Amino acid sequence: MNRFQVRKVAVLGAGVMGAQIAAHLVNCKVPVVLFDLPAKEGAKNGIVSKAVEGLKKLKPSPLGVPEDAALIGQANYEEHIEQLKDCDLVIEAIAERMDWKLDLYKKIAAHVAPHAILASNTSGLSITKLSEAIPEEMRARFCGIHFFNPPRYMALVELIPTPTTKPEVLDQLESFVTSGLGKSVVRAKDTPNFIANRVGIAGMLATIHEAAKAGLSYDVVDDLTGKKLGRASSGTFRTADVVGLDTMANVIKTLQDTLSADTDPFYASFATPPALKQLLEAGSLGQKTGAGFYKKVGKDIQRFDAASGNYVAGGGKADAIVDRILKKPAAERLKLLRESSNPQALFLWALMRNAFHYAAVHLGTIANSARDVDFAMRWGFGVKQGPFELWQQAGWKQVAEWVKADIDEGKALCKAPLPDWVFDGRDGVHAAEGSWSPAQKKNLPLSTLPVYGRQHFRENVLGADTTDAAGAGKTVHEDESMRLWTLDDEVLIASIKTKVHAIGPGVIEGLLKGTALAEDQYKGLVIWSPDDPFSYGADLQAMLPAFMKGGSKAIAPEIKKLQDALLSMRYANVPTIAAVRGMALGGGCEIVVHCAKRVVAMESYIGLVEVGVGLIPGGGGLTYIARRAAEMAAPANVDVFAFVRESFVNPAMAKVGTSAIESRKLGYLLDSDIIVPHKDELLYVAIAQAKAMFDSGYRAPARKLFPVAGRSAIATIKGQLANMRDGGFISAHDFHISGLIADVVCGGDVDAGSLVNEEYLMSLERKHFCSLLDHPKTQERIMGMMQTGKPVRN
């Protein structure tokens, strides 16, 4: 098989985007060298060195673990340009200046390897015009690649070909970006700001315009346009602050400079809003400068008041009646908003009408199909539905008539009519055979690139022919808590169905049943659910009736069942694989660590967090820590306490890995576990691992005794905890809980080096877990969490 291999990447430009793209490449184990101009003073790599150092301080972190910044190669164009010849992919990410980019291409052209792809990470400049500065022989391997900020967390990458880009080059790059970097790719046409920013920024400008027209404050608008509307929780103005008001202004300027009233009938609405001008002139650029549309003062969030130029108290919310409308089905929701007399409701209808209008008018020129617009908005702006999906769900023909009426009555942003294809009798733009392309006058199917064969349940749009994981394959057993099923009759899949995949009696029974079935009839068991999270842990609500009736004695048997289920997975005669994405907390973490292997999405957050509700891990999490400490100490021939002391902190402080990479550092993943960049490839990789392990003659690990640190180590840890308690860093109850954790991970009241087994340590866990259930302080924490969702500090 001849495939494009990316052995090394060069990123040109150590600015905000360039440095973060380099960081994400490192996260995905792709060797990278980051270039910039030579510094005028000091070390010539000074600019790059400063940028790399800055990556460690950014929040949210662009790196899986800060120390991986050292893996980014540092270079400058004067001394190291020859290194480009060793790179298979060169990503240019310098400032959005056409003249600077063209000059750089001339400088590097002779040094780029003949087989390498050269791509510009521009947010809106013409890729075709950029290609004109490149030698003719390189143009076939040149294209645009637009990462969204921040590159680690945002799913969308737009790929933009020029007329001379070879199709196979786009295919090669799309395959690498999808599987190698975990991104969701949309191919865009070479038009100003491409798809997501073209539609998204036009929508933000329209929102600002309609908000001013309706007299709504920024905080109210953000409450209306956040989660209530199926969008990112930051809404409109908070999102602008996070992105950076200077960045937003640059994208707006691209629209202003590259479009006109002749090329975009909405051009008049692209004027820079007066409030944005005020903030830019004041140097208030959003989150990075501490002030933008919002400003944090102490614990309070204040909003900018354009009329006075000052910051005033925030916290405005949507009207209750609008809240109720937004919970209605799509067709009823739009009708009620349009017909309401409430200014907030009319504002929301105007936003949706403008979105439908703009997307329909420009679909044929900016995108290959309606699906690309919906995907771009979903992946680039965090909306649950793109404009065409919502329009189709609400009733295509009726909504089209409403939009047309508003245009005719002068209520819309411009007088441009909806395209003729909107009224050709269709019921939408998404169908089983694909999504509508005005340019090709037919529905286009999803890409059939081989890389998408790794996504068993590929993301698609509403109205398309989508296979739902909940009903796919062959069901072996199903109840309200768990579905056991198979795609190929070789590997059994266990999917947790409870809310946030909480672990209650039904899930425990499902794990026991799944393990037994897998041992009897299949090559392995994969624990995977089609949605986030992996599991938030124990279902406290489900435990409450039993606790109220019989106290902790009634809970102990259920904890024993969980421990037995996890041990049965660990010692099963077929491989058990945890396919993890999102949160795996508490009991979810305990399921993960007891599997034979873990296949984990990059954005997975794993940890033992029971202290937050006044408990200790009860499903074998602490037993795992003690066993792993012994396993790590044995080859080094050192005291097991050295490893226990380091690992004890994680459950005692409820430390959670903020990436799969950090979760490995905390010890919840092993070096042999697999981190998968793309979350939708988890199931494919997990099934492949199960089969490979089984076919290679997998046998469960031998049950054996292992040494523990003993009572002297417990005393040492408790002495350190006492200092923290007496210094006011932890409460007396925190001290008590941490002491119980120390008791388990050190093996209880035994001599250092005593040999124990897992069942012994699990009995200690169970005993201490139940004792805490009876403690009034723990009961306060549990009730507080159940009532408010926030930890109680007592």
Side-chain angles (χ1 to χ4, degrees):
M1 179 177 66
N2 183 20
R3 61 188 176 92
F4 179 67
Q5 296 188 53
V6 180
R7 300 173 185 85
K8 190 174 184 180
V9 176
V11 177
L12 312 182
V16 173
M17 282 301 290
Q20 291 199 55
I21 291 169
H24 187 62
L25 287 160
V26 163
N27 291 338
C28 298
K29 294 186 176 180
V30 179
V32 60
V33 57
L34 181 61
F35 279 82
D36 212 302
L37 295 167
K40 293 179 181 178
E41 297 179 3
K44 287 195 174 180
N45 278 346
I47 294 172
V48 174
S49 297
K50 184 178 179 182
V52 170
E53 195 61 29
L55 290 170
K56 302 175 187 178
K57 303 169 187 173
L58 286 177
K59 298 293 179 186
S61 176
L63 291 157
V65 288
E67 52 265 37
D68 277 358
L71 300 177
I72 299 173
Q74 301 183 19
N76 65 80
Y77 304 120
E78 183 180 302
E79 295 179 307
H80 309 114
I81 201 164
E82 287 289 330
Q83 290 186 28
L84 290 175
K85 72 176 184 296
D86 300 323
C87 298
D88 305 296
L89 172 62
V90 178
I91 300 173
E92 171 269 304
I94 68 170
E96 292 287 273
R97 284 273 302 267
M98 179 72 75
D99 53 340
W100 290 1
K101 289 178 185 284
L102 297 179
D103 284 346
L104 179 59
Y105 295 165
K106 290 173 185 174
K107 182 185 296 184
I108 66 168
H111 303 280
V112 176
H115 73 280
I117 296 174
L118 174 61
S120 175
N121 181 67
T122 173
S123 60
L125 297 179
S126 169
I127 302 301
T128 302
K129 188 169 181 182
L130 288 172
S131 72
E132 293 169 2
I134 297 170
E136 192 170 343
E137 62 271 17
M138 290 178 60
R139 291 179 190 173
R141 302 191 67 76
F142 176 77
C143 63
I145 182 169
H146 181 208
F147 287 85
F148 270 62
N149 189 25
R152 172 184 161 186
Y153 301 95
M154 297 301 293
L156 180 62
V157 168
E158 292 174 314
L159 297 183
I160 310 97
T162 73
T164 55
T165 306
K166 280 187 178 180
E168 57 263 37
V169 168
L170 264 289
D171 291 348
Q172 291 167 348
L173 191 54
E174 181 167 349
S175 298
F176 169 68
V177 168
T178 300
S179 196
L181 302 184
K183 296 303 169 188
S184 299
V185 172
V186 166
R187 295 195 187 187
K189 295 184 178 182
D190 189 13
T191 56
N193 285 354
F194 314 127
I195 299 175
N197 274 344
R198 179 73 175 271
V199 176
I201 296 299
M204 290 181 78
L205 288 169
T207 301
I208 295 171
H209 170 81
E210 298 290 353
K213 187 175 167 184
L216 301 179
S217 60
Y218 304 138
D219 46 1
V220 170
V221 170
D222 279 352
D223 191 48
L224 287 166
T225 61
K227 285 187 176 179
K228 289 182 173 67
L229 212 60
R231 299 181 179 180
S233 58
S234 51
T236 301
F237 296 100
R238 177 65 185 144
T239 297
D241 274 357
V242 171
V243 170
L245 302 192
D246 52 341
T247 301
M248 182 181 176
N250 286 335
V251 177
I252 294 170
K253 191 172 188 305
T254 300
L255 290 176
Q256 294 167 346
D257 293 347
T258 55
L259 296 170
S260 66
D262 294 329
T263 56
D264 192 322
F266 295 81
Y267 186 75
S269 67
F270 297 159
T272 304
L276 180 58
K277 280 184 180 177
Q278 282 179 263
L279 291 167
L280 291 170
E281 288 169 2
S284 300
L285 306 181
Q287 183 173 273
K288 58 189 167 188
T289 60
F293 287 109
Y294 296 97
K295 180 180 181 181
K296 190 172 183 181
V297 180
K299 292 184 178 180
D300 298 326
I301 303 294
Q302 297 184 346
R303 64 173 174 82
F304 182 64
D305 177 60
S308 66
N310 298 318
Y311 287 87
V312 298
K317 298 291 182 183
D319 290 343
I321 188 171
V322 179
D323 256 345
R324 290 195 293 272
I325 291 174
L326 291 176
K327 293 173 183 174
K328 302 287 185 182
E332 186 181 356
R333 181 165 75 242
L334 293 190
K335 184 175 188 295
L336 289 170
L337 290 173
R338 186 172 187 268
E339 295 176 356
S340 175
S341 60
N342 182 286
Q344 294 182 10
L346 291 173
F347 161 76
L348 288 176
W349 160 250
L351 293 194
M352 295 176 196
R353 174 203 65 217
N354 294 340
F356 301 150
H357 189 191
Y358 193 87
V361 167
H362 289 295
L363 172 58
T365 56
I366 67 173
N368 294 314
S369 75
R371 178 179 54 248
D372 293 332
V373 172
D374 283 342
F375 274 168
M377 294 307 296
R378 196 192 289 180
W379 295 332
F381 279 80
V383 304
K384 285 187 178 177
Q385 290 181 306
F388 290 117
E389 289 180 286
L390 176 58
W391 184 348
Q392 183 165 328
Q393 185 183 32
W396 184 270
K397 292 173 182 174
Q398 178 61 79
V399 173
E401 290 299 331
W402 286 339
V403 176
K404 181 180 183 300
D406 278 14
I407 295 169
D408 293 343
E409 293 169 21
K411 296 178 180 178
L413 289 174
C414 72
K415 295 180 179 179
L418 290 171
D420 291 341
W421 57 262
V422 170
F423 301 100
D424 64 5
R426 68 178 56 245
D427 290 316
V429 289
H430 303 308
E433 66 272 18
S435 295
W436 177 246
S437 169
Q440 299 188 41
K441 295 183 171 55
K442 64 179 182 179
N443 285 351
L444 302 182
L446 281 166
S447 168
T448 56
L449 279 178
V451 69
Y452 294 114
R454 295 170 62 88
Q455 299 178 10
H456 282 303
F457 301 101
R458 189 175 171 189
E459 197 168 341
N460 210 333
V461 287
L462 182 78
D465 185 13
T466 304
T467 302
D468 184 3
K474 182 174 75 178
T475 299
V476 177
H477 167 81
E478 186 168 15
D479 55 33
E480 62 183 10
S481 299
M482 179 82 79
R483 181 184 180 222
L484 301 174
W485 57 290
T486 180
L487 280 172
D488 56 9
D489 288 325
E490 290 192 88
V491 174
L492 188 65
I493 303 164
S495 296
I496 303 173
K497 294 171 55 182
T498 55
K499 186 177 180 182
V500 298
H501 302 155
I503 302 165
V507 171
I508 296 170
E509 290 294 335
L511 291 174
L512 284 165
K513 183 182 284 288
T515 303
L517 277 169
E519 285 188 304
D520 188 44
Q521 302 175 34
Y522 298 93
K523 289 186 174 182
L525 175 68
V526 169
I527 302 167
W528 173 86
S529 300
D531 55 340
D532 294 343
F534 180 80
S535 173
Y536 269 21
D539 187 346
L540 297 177
Q541 196 81 41
M543 283 199 286
L544 197 56
F547 179 74
M548 296 299 288
K549 188 175 180 180
S552 64
K553 288 182 180 179
I555 302 299
E558 294 304 315
I559 299 300
K560 178 71 163 59
K561 282 183 185 177
L562 174 60
Q563 294 174 343
D564 290 345
L566 299 187
L567 284 177
S568 74
M569 285 166 41
R570 170 166 164 73
Y571 292 109
N573 283 324
V574 293
T576 53
I577 314 287
V580 184
R581 65 191 239 195
M583 299 285 188
L585 305 177
C589 174
E590 290 173 317
I591 292 175
V592 169
V593 299
H594 280 87
C595 285
K597 193 158 194 170
R598 287 138 291 276
V599 174
V600 186
M602 179 71 69
E603 294 309 317
S604 296
Y605 308 89
I606 304 173
L608 297 169
V609 297
E610 286 83 353
V611 296
V613 288
L615 294 168
I616 67 168
L622 300 181
T623 299
Y624 165 80
I625 287 173
R627 174 174 59 79
R628 279 295 296 149
E631 290 170 350
M632 290 186 289
N637 196 28
V638 297
D639 184 0
V640 69
F641 181 51
F643 292 95
V644 167
R645 181 166 44 195
E646 185 177 348
S647 300
F648 158 81
V649 174
N650 299 333
M653 302 297 290
K655 290 183 75 172
V656 175
T658 56
S659 67
I661 300 169
E662 188 178 15
S663 295
R664 176 179 277 160
K665 181 182 174 184
L666 294 180
Y668 297 127
L669 302 180
L670 307 182
D671 288 343
S672 57
D673 293 329
I674 296 173
I675 296 176
V676 179
H678 203 298
K679 63 181 177 60
D680 292 341
E681 294 186 1
L682 274 179
L683 184 58
Y684 174 90
V685 177
I687 289 173
Q689 286 294 309
K691 290 179 181 178
M693 291 169 71
F694 181 88
D695 292 341
S696 300
Y698 175 81
R699 297 292 298 176
R703 293 176 182 262
K704 57 185 179 181
L705 301 175
F706 51 87
V708 289
R711 65 176 73 85
S712 58
I714 297 170
T716 300
I717 291 175
K718 283 189 172 181
Q720 294 168 345
L721 291 171
N723 290 335
M724 294 178 69
R725 178 198 59 200
D726 297 343
F729 296 104
I730 60 174
S731 69
H733 194 48
D734 290 326
F735 173 81
H736 176 58
I737 297 167
S738 297
L740 297 180
I741 291 173
D743 193 56
V744 178
V745 297
C746 295
D749 188 17
V750 296
D751 294 334
S754 295
L755 298 178
V756 302
N757 61 19
E758 287 163 300
E759 287 81 1
Y760 163 76
L761 289 178
M762 284 185 172
S763 69
L764 272 182
E765 273 191 55
R766 200 162 60 246
K767 171 187 167 186
H768 293 328
F769 183 93
C770 291
S771 73
L772 284 169
L773 279 176
D774 292 326
H775 198 294
K777 293 286 187 182
T778 285
Q779 291 171 9
E780 283 178 23
R781 291 193 184 188
I782 291 173
M783 294 308 297
M785 180 63 76
M786 290 172 63
Q787 291 169 1
T788 68
K790 298 177 181 179
V792 173
R793 298 299 175 198
N794 59 1

